[in-house]
């Protein structure tokens, strides 16, 4: 006879799951035993939050839901930040949590909270499994909901008595492909007329454009229309950043040099823009007309209210739009003369012999090949990487501009290194964000992956400290001390290096990749450039408008 946990694991194998990340508890023991006897690898993490970040990143990179596991109560609640990360970032993920038995109550209310209710605001679906016979349909529905547009997390709770209950063999439900609808001909015709009449058209590529299913068609659309483009932070890399049509990335909402193109445009075609991202530009009554191309209708916001929408499967819809406008956009290249000046200003002073953000980004870019993957944590440096790091392939700069949570960089990089062991992978973390999940160094060592972890050290929560200064508050409450990161890395079995001279930085990174294994490299940073570039320089540009 099968147990309920056996049926659950069989349904996961049926969905193509090969890894489950998590921290099991007493209520998961039947499930753990079923995993042991299966083809699925159980990857033990050192915190449930990291397990959720890894599962969500699996969904982001593959389009297939990653799976994570936790016990009841405190374990389940530790998944909540990862659930929000998945929900806002549109990353498909399945969360499995345990629970005390529901057919009897031998431990009264010990450790019991209503996890179903707690997860509902953070997921697309949250369900308790009350019968082993229902598992195949519940799991198939969970994966369908998690992976369909807009992707996100689904939660299933498996009580321990349901997991242990015996049941007859249950038929599995095979997954089947689901084709997304195309945009209507009327919508495409309407958008085509606006694009062909535009004097200064501009494309903006957003988060949903990074879905694995849409990037190739998107690249062809850009090359067929020859319209220059900017990207949001999460839209970087969807078209090779080295093309002659790339105008920059909107790391700020306004005033940056890339906004010279946005402000001059009369029509902006946003492709895959999701308003969970910090606004890449602010719409106003006298601004450009906006065409929203997306899997789903636009969320109308104070700063984003497109006048025209093309809703459907992005790739095929863009192909149909290109068929109508290719070679018929007289103003296609009108904004291109701005490109060289915008990019040169962004790249200015990036080879100075100082530990500036520009120099650090420049040297990291030099050692990362086109397919190398950079997983950013969240901090002040994220703005600099978003502005200055040129991407040449989709999903090679993994940053979170939706929940924007600290602590996700290292687990995300571990997942990327597992999926793509032949590629260079680097986690970039501030000293604050690194310490929030630094224990996952042990996970990386145990898995024997190749990974470089770059810690940017300023002994402060730098982003908030900068905003504190911008808002003219006293410098207070944002600084801290750090461990010796070299010794800390070595205590886990990793190799630790502290960069003493900026001239050695690039060679230290290169050596780490050549040597393989897990390397932790600490580099100091001079954030005085925040005020010079993001303060004085951009204020001066604004005053000239």
């Amino acid at each position: 006879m099968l147990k309920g946990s056996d049926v659950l694991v069989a349904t996961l194998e049926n969905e193509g799951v090969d890894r489950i990340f998590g921290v099991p508890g007493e209520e998961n023991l039947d499930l753990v035993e079923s995993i042991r006897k299966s083809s699925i690898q159980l990857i033990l993490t050192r915190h449930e939050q990291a397990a959720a970040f890894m599962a969500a990143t699996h969904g982001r990179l593959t389009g297939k839901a990653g799976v994570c596991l936790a016990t009841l109560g405190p374990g389940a609640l530790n998944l909540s930040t990862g659930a929000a990360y998945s929900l806002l970032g549109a990353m498909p993920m399945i969360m499995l949590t345990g629970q005390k038995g529901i057919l009897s109550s031998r431990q009264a209310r010990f450790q019991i909270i209503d996890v179903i209710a707690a997860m509902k605001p953070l997921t697309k679906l949250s369900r308790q499994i009350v019968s082993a016979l229902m598992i195949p349909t519940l799991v198939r529905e969970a994966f369908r909901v998690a992976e369909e547009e807009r992707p996100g997390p689904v939660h299933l709770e498996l009580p321990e008595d349901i997991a242990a209950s015996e049941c007859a063999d249950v038929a599995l439900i095979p997954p089947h492909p689901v084709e997304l609808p195309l945009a209507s001909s009327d919508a495409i015709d309407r958008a085509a007329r606006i694009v062909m009449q535009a004097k200064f058209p501009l494309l903006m590529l957003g988060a949903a454009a990074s879905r694995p299913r849409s990037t190739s068609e998107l690249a062809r659309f850009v090359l067929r229309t020859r319209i220059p483009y900017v990207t949001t932070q999460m839209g970087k890399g969807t078209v090779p950043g080295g093309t002659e049509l790339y105008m920059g990335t909107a790391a700020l909402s306004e005033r940056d040099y890339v906004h010279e193109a946005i402000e001059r445009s009369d029509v902006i075609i946003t492709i895959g823009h999701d308003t969970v991202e910090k606004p890449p530009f602010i719409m106003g009554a006298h601004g450009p007309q906006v065409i929203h191309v997306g899997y789903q209708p636009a969320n109308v916001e104070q700063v984003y209210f497109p006048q025209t929408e093309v809703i459907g499967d992005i790739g095929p819809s863009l192909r149909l739009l290109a068929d109508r406008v290719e070679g018929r956009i007289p103003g296609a290249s009108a904004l291109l003369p701005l490109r060289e000046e915008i990019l040169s200003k962004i790249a200015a002073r990036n080879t100075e012999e100082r530990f500036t953000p520009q120099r650090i980004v420049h040297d990291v870019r030099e050692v990362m090949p086109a397919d190398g993957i950079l997983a950013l944590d969240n901090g002040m440096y994220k703005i600099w990487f978003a502005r200055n790091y040129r991407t040449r392939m989709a999903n090679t700069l993994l940053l979170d501009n939706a929940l924007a949570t600290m602590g996700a960089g290292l687990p995300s990089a571990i997942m990327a290194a597992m999926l793509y062991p032949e590629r260079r992978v680097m986690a970039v973390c501030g000293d604050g964000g690194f310490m929030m999940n630094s224990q996952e160094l042990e996970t990386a060592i145990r898995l024997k992956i190749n990974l470089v972890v770059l810690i940017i050290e300023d002994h402060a929560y730098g982003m908030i400290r900068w905003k504190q200064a911008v808002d003219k508050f006293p410098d207070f409450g944002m600084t801290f001390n750090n461990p010796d990161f070299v010794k800390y890395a070595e205590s886990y079995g990793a190799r630790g290096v502290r960069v003493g001279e900026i001239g050695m930085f690039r060679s230290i990174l290169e050596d780490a990749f050549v040597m393989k294994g897990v390397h932790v490299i600490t580099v100091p940073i001079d954030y005085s450039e925040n005020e010079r570039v993001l303060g004085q320089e951009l204020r001066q540009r604004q005053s000239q408008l």
Side-chain angles (χ1 to χ4, degrees), residues 79-188:
L79 294 177
S80 60
T81 301
Y85 175 78
S86 167
L87 183 68
L88 269 65
M91 307 174 199
M93 176 174 71
I94 305 293
M95 298 181 294
L96 304 173
T97 64
Q99 187 54 276
K100 298 293 184 186
I102 57 174
L103 302 180
S104 64
S105 184
R106 294 178 61 85
Q107 295 194 24
R109 303 297 300 170
F110 176 63
Q111 284 197 306
I112 294 179
I113 62 166
D114 190 344
V115 178
I116 301 296
M119 286 295 182
K120 279 186 177 178
L122 300 173
T123 60
K124 297 180 71 177
L125 180 69
S126 182
R127 297 280 298 275
Q128 183 184 68
I129 299 172
V130 298
S131 167
L133 296 176
M134 290 293 295
I135 289 174
T137 52
L138 287 175
V139 171
R140 177 80 283 272
E141 176 71 354
F143 276 83
R144 184 189 66 80
V145 171
E147 293 172 359
E148 71 182 2
E149 286 294 335
R150 183 177 180 271
V154 170
H155 167 239
L156 294 177
E157 180 180 83
L158 180 65
E160 59 181 336
D161 52 0
I162 304 301
S165 65
E166 293 186 347
C167 65
D169 195 10
V170 181
L172 304 181
I173 301 173
H176 63 278
V178 177
E179 302 300 331
L180 295 176
L182 294 179
S184 72
S185 295
D186 287 346
I188 294 173

Side-chain angles (χ1 to χ4, degrees), residues 213-229:
R213 65 182 298 148
S214 61
T215 54
S216 59
E217 286 286 1
L218 176 55
R220 280 192 284 269
F221 177 80
V222 171
L223 295 175
R224 289 179 67 186
T225 62
R226 308 300 299 171
I227 300 174
Y229 67 94

Side-chain angles (χ1 to χ4, degrees), residues 41 67 111 161 389 427:
Q41 181 184 9
V67 181
Q111 284 197 306
D161 52 0
Y389 190 84

Side-chain angles (χ1 to χ4, degrees), residues 205-252:
L205 315 180
S210 295
R211 305 272 202 274
R213 65 182 298 148
S214 61
T215 54
S216 59
E217 286 286 1
L218 176 55
R220 280 192 284 269
F221 177 80
V222 171
L223 295 175
R224 289 179 67 186
T225 62
R226 308 300 299 171
I227 300 174
Y229 67 94
V230 299
T231 76
T232 69
Q233 293 185 46
M234 294 179 74
K236 286 179 73 72
T238 46
V239 172
T243 72
E244 72 279 12
L245 298 171
Y246 172 70
M247 304 283 280
T249 296
L252 305 174

Side-chain angles (χ1 to χ4, degrees), residues 401-433:
N401 193 36
L403 184 65
T405 179
M406 298 171 72
L410 177 56
S412 296
I414 291 173
M415 182 71 258
M418 293 178 67
L419 284 171
Y420 306 108
E422 75 287 355
R423 293 161 70 173
R424 289 189 174 187
V425 178
M426 183 189 299
V428 180
C429 309
D431 43 6

Side-chain angles (χ1 to χ4, degrees), residues 7-80:
V7 177
L8 177 57
V9 170
T11 62
L12 297 176
E13 290 178 313
N14 185 53
E15 297 288 343
V17 174
D18 57 2
R19 302 180 180 99
I20 298 177
F21 306 88
V23 182
E26 175 187 345
E27 291 72 26
N28 304 119
L29 289 180
D30 283 289
L31 181 56
V32 169
E33 174 60 13
S34 296
I35 294 171
R36 185 187 69 83
K37 297 184 294 184
S38 75
S39 64
I40 297 175
Q41 181 184 9
L42 176 62
I43 297 177
L44 197 69
T45 60
R46 303 308 300 269
H47 196 285
E48 295 89 350
Q49 185 185 95
F53 289 146
M54 292 178 192
T57 302
H58 180 283
R60 178 180 188 171
L61 290 173
T62 67
K64 302 294 184 182
V67 181
C68 57
L69 164 70
T71 189
L72 80 174
L77 291 179
N78 279 343
L79 294 177
S80 60

